[in-house]
Amino acid sequence: MLEIKGLQSGYGYLQVLWDVSLELNDGEFIVLLGSNGAGKTTTLRTISGVIRPISGEINFLGQSIGGKPGHEISRLGISFITEDLNLFPKMTVYDNLLVGAYSVRDKKKIKETLAYILNLFPRLEERLNQLAGTLSGGERKMLAIGRGLMPNPKLLLVDEPSLGLSPLMTRATFDALRKLNQDGTTILLVEQHLGKALEITNRGYILEQGKVVMEAPTATLLESERVKEVYLGR
Amino acid sequence: MELVDVWNVLAVGLVRGGLYAQMALMLALVLGVMSIISMINGELYMIGAYVSYFAFTLFGLNPILSIACAAVATFLVGALIERGPLSMMRRRAGEDWYLNTFLLTVGLSFFLKNAAMLLWKPTYRGIRWYWEGTVSIGSIGISIDRLVALGIAALTIVALQLFLRNTRLGRAIRAVSQDERGAMLNGININTIYTISFGLACMLGGIAGGSMLSILPASPYMGTTPNNYAWLVVMLAGLGNISGAVVGGFIIGIVESVAFQFFGEGWPNVISFIILIIVLVIKPSGIFGTSVKGVWEQ
Ligand SMILES: Nc1ncnc2c1ncn2[C@@H]1O[C@H](COP(=O)(O)OP(=O)(O)OP(=O)(O)O)[C@@H](O)[C@H]1O
Ligand SMILES: [Mg+2]
């Protein structure tokens, strides 16, 4: 589904990613690990078109998307749930979700997806007419994920969903992601919260200083000395 | 002061207020969506007046169609200005583009004024009336034209609000004004939204110019005063508050009409600016000032 080859990317003169390659198959749920500043967010930003790659290839569903503007990439079926969520604080929850469906013209389809999302996050249903800016941290995260699902994306990029959430809320968020994956959405997750992330994903990549240093099924990663030492602190 | 005068003053104030509200809305919309300070508001108002004038006198269109022509023409002019010079500036200037666009709109404003001067000479081009006659409401008589101008202003303002709140495109405009990255990641083309918003803002000015034609005739420099008022009202209401701009427009309209009644010509201006200064000293963010950027939120 997604194939990245020799990707170099960064901000102006500051190059962050060096020759990154990764692959994501249909229906997979993979995790991208790495310490602070490794370039995880930068990878997601480059895929989603927030920043342009310096060079390298990004292919999505057989189409080259490297350097395309963000709105076009979104319309091709990639939703990016950013770390700061980028909600519309002065709009209601409902309007936020409707903006998520901006590129969907079929009213019936919008209704169906909305019902699915409200079923996944019942809390949002109770707060449909509340302004997004007044939601709690956990609710904001649900809204961001919900909004990202409105266009029925084929690929979901999620940046550190557990950030700032209580263990209970983190569990709920991860459960929702797992359910989404089981329902057919391919997911690329960036996460620091390793234990839980490794439980629900199939495969993982480790990024260090902008380079991929390891790629393995999560079971193997859990056993790896490197992961134990650096990320689990054992 | 007689009761009749009170109603008269109020009526005049409301008509003026409608104009100020539309002009302020124009400014607030561009500021809210694109964060740029536009100085060509008055010139779009001027273009609207000329278009209506020619449509009405030269082509003999009916009043409503004449004003509609002004609306369409100014939307197109606005969209072209955005697509052309403004977006070029945005692409080239990067981070500094706010200041650069401000200067650019100042330049465009001069250009448009002088182009109008060359094309149409400094003569006033007005019409005596769109609809002849006056209506009496209670004890006062108000010309149909004034009443219609006020009605059109009110209608335009309400329509814009409904559009922004309840349509797909309106929501996209609000989304861009609140979080550009969020909007882009949801499939919204920000450049398109900029063009449409700028066009819509210009259209507001055009409608104002067209609908007030029999009261304020078209001339090359007619836009300067409304532009100043747009600024006055927006600063008074507080940047980033569109409803505030509308209310502020009507307040200033009425204040000026009262000032005129009591102190005579020349004073309305002075009093408005004194009010502005007092408000800014007491509450620098304006009467309804908000910190969050947005267009017309609840
Ligand atoms: N907008 C930006 N402009 C310039 N440099 C940036 C920008 N965003 C990130 N960087 C730099 O790029 C490098 C990688 O950042 P990135 O956000 O991709 O890391 P990360 O792996 O997501 O880290 P974290 O776990 O802390 O979120 C860092 O050194 C950072 O300082
Ligand atoms: Mg990050």
Side-chain angles (χ1 to χ4, degrees), chain A residues 11 14 16 35-42 45 83 160 192:
Chain A
Y11 306 89
L14 175 73
V16 174
S35 43
N36 294 111
K40 307 179 296 292
T41 299
T42 306
R45 282 188 184 145
E83 235 170 323
E160 303 210 29
Q192 305 262 5

Side-chain angles (χ1 to χ4, degrees), chain B residues 80-289:
Chain B
L80 277 178
I81 289 176
E82 205 293 316
R83 258 293 122 101
L86 289 191
S87 73
M88 253 147 50
M89 187 66 94
R90 192 161 63 242
R91 270 176 208 133
R92 289 182 165 234
E95 304 264 289
D96 297 327
W97 82 283
Y98 303 114
L99 181 61
N100 285 331
T101 41
F102 166 73
L103 294 173
L104 186 69
T105 58
V106 172
L108 275 172
S109 155
F110 277 112
F111 171 78
L112 290 172
K113 275 181 205 156
N114 288 302
M117 194 70 141
L118 267 179
L119 279 172
W120 301 310
K121 307 291 177 293
T123 44
Y124 284 100
R125 288 167 204 260
I127 57 172
R128 288 185 62 195
W129 48 62
Y130 278 129
W131 289 277
E132 187 179 355
T134 56
V135 241
S136 38
I137 306 170
S139 49
I140 63 154
I142 178 169
S143 75
I144 299 180
D145 277 9
R146 278 179 196 271
L147 211 58
V148 170
L150 176 60
I152 288 178
L155 211 68
T156 312
I157 292 168
V158 171
L160 180 71
Q161 185 184 37
L162 290 176
F163 165 74
L164 287 174
R165 287 214 177 141
N166 300 320
T167 65
R168 171 176 174 271
L169 194 56
R171 271 191 299 271
I173 290 175
R174 284 159 57 209
V176 169
S177 92
Q178 290 178 37
D179 193 315
E180 291 198 356
R181 183 170 291 176
M184 178 191 78
L185 290 174
N186 282 287
I188 296 171
N189 184 345
I190 291 172
N191 288 323
T192 310
I193 295 296
Y194 275 4
T195 306
I196 293 172
S197 306
F198 201 80
L200 279 178
C202 291
M203 186 172 88
L204 289 173
I207 292 175
S211 59
M212 302 280 290
L213 185 62
S214 67
I215 305 158
L216 297 163
S219 69
Y221 289 94
M222 72 186 296
T224 311
T225 312
N227 190 44
N228 293 345
Y229 275 101
W231 274 104
L232 181 128
V233 169
V234 166
M235 282 193 282
L236 191 71
L239 302 179
N241 186 322
I242 292 203
S243 306
V246 172
V247 176
F250 282 102
I251 290 177
I252 290 292
I254 291 169
V255 164
E256 296 216 327
S257 164
V258 171
F260 184 81
Q261 176 76 19
F262 281 104
F263 306 109
E265 196 146 2
W267 282 98
N269 259 316
V270 178
I271 290 176
S272 296
F273 278 90
I274 290 176
I275 292 178
L276 175 64
I277 291 167
I278 294 173
V279 167
L280 290 187
V281 166
I282 299 171
K283 191 163 183 283
S285 58
I287 300 177
F288 313 105

Side-chain angles (χ1 to χ4, degrees), chain A residues 82-96:
Chain A
T82 58
E83 235 170 323
D84 3 277
L85 308 182
N86 295 98
L87 294 175
F88 310 118
K90 300 200 93 186
M91 277 193 205
T92 60
V93 168
Y94 184 61
D95 277 357
N96 266 274

